[in-house]
Amino acid sequence: MAETYDLIVLGSGPGGYVAAIRASQLGLKVAIVEREKLGGICLNWGCIPTKALLRTSEIYHYMTHAGAYGLSAEKPGFDLARIVDRSRKVAGQLNAGVKGLMKKNKVAVVEGEGALKGKGALTVTKDGKATELQARHIVVATGARARDLPFAKADGERIWTYRHAMVPKVMPTKLLVIGSGAIGVEFASFYSDMGAEVTIVEMLDRILPVEDEEVSAFVHKALTKQGMKIHVSSGVEKLTPGPGGVGASIKGQGDQDFSHAIVAIGIVPNTEGIGLEALGVKTERGHIVTDGFGRTNVEGIYAIGDVTGPPWLAHKASHEGIVCVEAIAGKNPHPFETWNIPGCTYSRPQVASVGLTEARAKAEGREVKVGKFPFIGNGKAIALGEAEGFVKTVFDAGTGELLGAHMVGAEVTELIQGYAVARQLETTEADLMHTVFPHPTLSEMMHESVLDAYGRAIHY
């Protein structure tokens, strides 16, 4: 006889496990189904372990530039196996934490491959054994996977996806990174700081193409200064792995040889083989179509996270999950919207943004006021030895509404939430101008950028 629940969540990534916890808090009997490890790709093979790697490369960068701080470090080196081991241990620690949260919140964990078998019915298969589950509400949170090049699938040896790039057996000497979104640029930054010769190839006319154009240009210049080669409006037309490396035919650059290649050209939603077609669940380009509460066109079936489309971010999935289950529980939440979701890239330099770019605001017919403040004008940035970067703010000229904020430089991934809170609270330029920012902090640049939009910057 099938085990019955109020709610079943298929997938335990940052959308799935957060949705399960919130549903349990609201008094629902909840089960979560996972075929691999609790925490999903983000925790085990994405957001968290990559930040552990990037922290290592950051420290290594400081070690190799110790003289700039009046220090000496003779012949700094590294042990690749220990670097990878630390990253995996960080992921393992958090995976154990999610297990603890499931137990604490009385969420039943069912291991195996889950598939919808009808309205309110789900079958979980593991080691050839099937378990039948039933629930009035089923939330699909199956996430996404890396997209392969159609002419050269990743082999884990010479051609890597992000997953292979996180557990390298050897350090690349000459690395090709195909794609310059957040994932591509982060891995380019890590491997470059660890000593690899890095080339980035981007099909569009600039790297980090979703970011403000000034930010993209700044990062391009910074990475080039670090020694990377960057080819935009280009592409890889052929990739040929061999025992000693991988050959690449790059549009406009000819044939070149690399030790390894990382493919970071986007993701594919995990919608195949889970029973969506039989139930008639609507999809567009593979992504499940939902409303602002995670509801699909089929009653009782919901979807959240990467499987529903962009932005493909963990924090988007988590919030989407909370809105979805609160609606199921009758709590009348505000419908989920994507207008105020911060984006972060943890490269060197870091990039962070929220809201509209200047170009997008103008394209929407807005008259804007734009403020900008450089790191070189901030005392804390200079003291840190991190004086490269800027903060940019975009306001509606008529209302003072904060339309967007864009940052590049040290620790901006921590700073951006200040602007996200400001936008959520519908803060105007006057509110931000009258806010007192502590000194000396990097956050003072946020204040100065606002002031600059209205011709009132003090320190630059």
Side-chain angles (χ1 to χ4, degrees):
M1 186 174 179
E3 184 72 25
T4 302
Y5 297 90
D6 297 316
L7 177 82
I8 298 171
V9 182
L10 180 58
S12 74
Y17 85 76
V18 168
I21 290 172
R22 183 63 184 133
S24 180
Q25 289 175 345
L26 292 169
L28 302 181
K29 182 183 179 183
V30 185
I32 194 164
V33 177
E34 176 55 58
R35 67 182 180 182
E36 293 186 36
K37 293 182 177 181
L38 289 172
I41 293 298
C42 174
L43 189 153
N44 293 287
W45 293 102
C47 320
I48 302 300
T50 54
K51 302 313 162 283
L53 293 176
L54 285 160
R55 176 61 169 165
T56 292
S57 64
E58 179 184 36
I59 292 173
Y60 188 65
H61 167 73
Y62 286 131
M63 289 173 65
T64 56
H65 292 80
Y69 297 87
L71 305 173
S72 60
E74 295 183 8
K75 296 182 180 179
F78 61 85
D79 183 326
L80 181 60
R82 290 178 64 187
I83 291 172
V84 172
D85 182 60
R86 177 181 180 271
S87 173
R88 301 315 308 153
K89 283 179 178 176
V90 168
Q93 180 179 341
L94 291 171
N95 168 259
V98 175
K99 288 180 181 177
L101 289 171
M102 296 298 98
K103 184 177 180 180
K104 176 184 176 182
N105 288 279
K106 298 181 174 59
V107 175
V109 177
V110 183
E111 297 180 351
E113 294 266 358
L116 299 162
K117 294 300 180 182
K119 185 176 180 180
L122 190 144
T123 299
V124 183
T125 305
K126 183 179 182 183
D127 300 329
K129 181 182 178 181
T131 301
E132 304 297 327
L133 306 177
Q134 289 184 342
R136 183 179 174 187
H137 309 283
I138 298 176
V139 178
V140 179
T142 47
R145 63 188 183 276
R147 184 184 298 277
D148 270 315
L149 286 169
F151 52 83
K153 292 188 179 298
D155 58 14
E157 294 297 326
R158 295 295 174 179
I159 304 175
W160 294 347
T161 65
Y162 65 86
R163 195 155 177 162
H164 304 121
M166 259 180 280
V167 288
K169 298 173 185 176
V170 296
M171 182 61 67
T173 54
K174 190 176 181 182
L175 176 66
L176 172 64
V177 178
I178 307 169
S180 72
I183 293 174
V185 169
E186 285 182 1
F187 277 118
S189 188
F190 168 75
Y191 281 108
S192 176
D193 275 347
M194 298 308 295
E197 182 183 332
V198 175
T199 297
I200 299 174
V201 173
E202 171 56 53
M203 180 179 66
L204 300 179
D205 61 357
R206 58 191 176 96
I207 64 171
L208 294 173
V210 302
E211 299 294 344
D212 186 89
E213 290 183 17
E214 286 189 271
V215 170
S216 292
F218 185 94
V219 176
H220 188 131
K221 184 177 180 180
L223 298 185
T224 301
K225 185 177 179 181
Q226 292 172 25
M228 297 188 208
K229 296 177 182 177
I230 301 175
H231 306 302
V232 296
S233 299
S234 184
V236 175
E237 299 172 327
K238 187 177 181 181
L239 209 57
T240 308
V246 56
S249 179
I250 302 173
K251 180 181 176 182
Q253 303 297 321
D255 295 338
Q256 298 183 33
D257 293 320
F258 299 88
S259 65
H260 298 82
I262 296 175
V263 179
I265 58 172
I267 60 96
V268 179
N270 294 323
T271 51
E272 309 97 328
I274 58 174
L276 298 177
E277 298 86 356
L279 286 174
V281 175
K282 185 179 179 180
T283 61
E284 289 182 358
R285 296 182 179 180
H287 291 96
I288 300 174
V289 177
T290 61
D291 67 5
F293 300 100
R295 296 178 294 216
T296 71
N297 63 306
V298 177
E299 185 181 1
I301 304 297
Y302 309 79
I304 61 172
D306 287 359
V307 77
T308 67
W312 298 289
L313 299 168
H315 43 286
K316 174 255 193 182
S318 297
H319 190 66
E320 208 171 10
I322 288 173
V323 170
C324 178
V325 298
E326 287 188 350
I328 288 171
K331 296 299 180 182
N332 298 315
H334 292 293
F336 178 79
E337 297 176 315
T338 59
W339 67 278
N340 200 31
I341 300 174
C344 297
T345 302
Y346 298 81
S347 52
R348 187 175 64 82
Q350 293 182 9
V351 176
S353 60
V354 66
L356 301 181
T357 64
E358 180 182 358
R360 177 68 181 274
K362 289 179 178 178
E364 291 186 2
R366 303 263 199 163
E367 184 180 347
V368 300
K369 284 185 178 292
V370 178
K372 192 174 171 184
F373 193 82
F375 271 51
I376 192 65
N378 178 264
K380 178 67 177 293
I382 295 171
L384 291 175
E386 300 287 356
E388 294 188 359
F390 64 84
V391 176
K392 179 178 180 179
T393 46
V394 183
F395 291 91
D396 185 286
T399 66
E401 176 189 356
L402 176 62
L403 300 177
H406 310 276
M407 305 175 167
V408 57
E411 302 305 327
V412 296
T413 56
E414 297 293 336
L415 297 177
I416 194 63
Q417 190 60 17
Y419 285 133
V421 171
R423 279 170 52 79
Q424 188 67 35
L425 296 177
E426 299 182 353
T427 301
T428 66
E429 93 290 355
D431 298 315
L432 289 167
M433 285 181 182
H434 287 93
T435 299
V436 178
F437 288 72
H439 174 79
T441 63
L442 297 176
S443 69
E444 291 176 278
M445 291 184 289
M446 300 167 66
H447 192 212
E448 292 276 11
S449 179
V450 173
L451 292 171
D452 183 62
Y454 292 83
R456 292 175 53 180
I458 301 297
H459 290 97
Y460 193 73

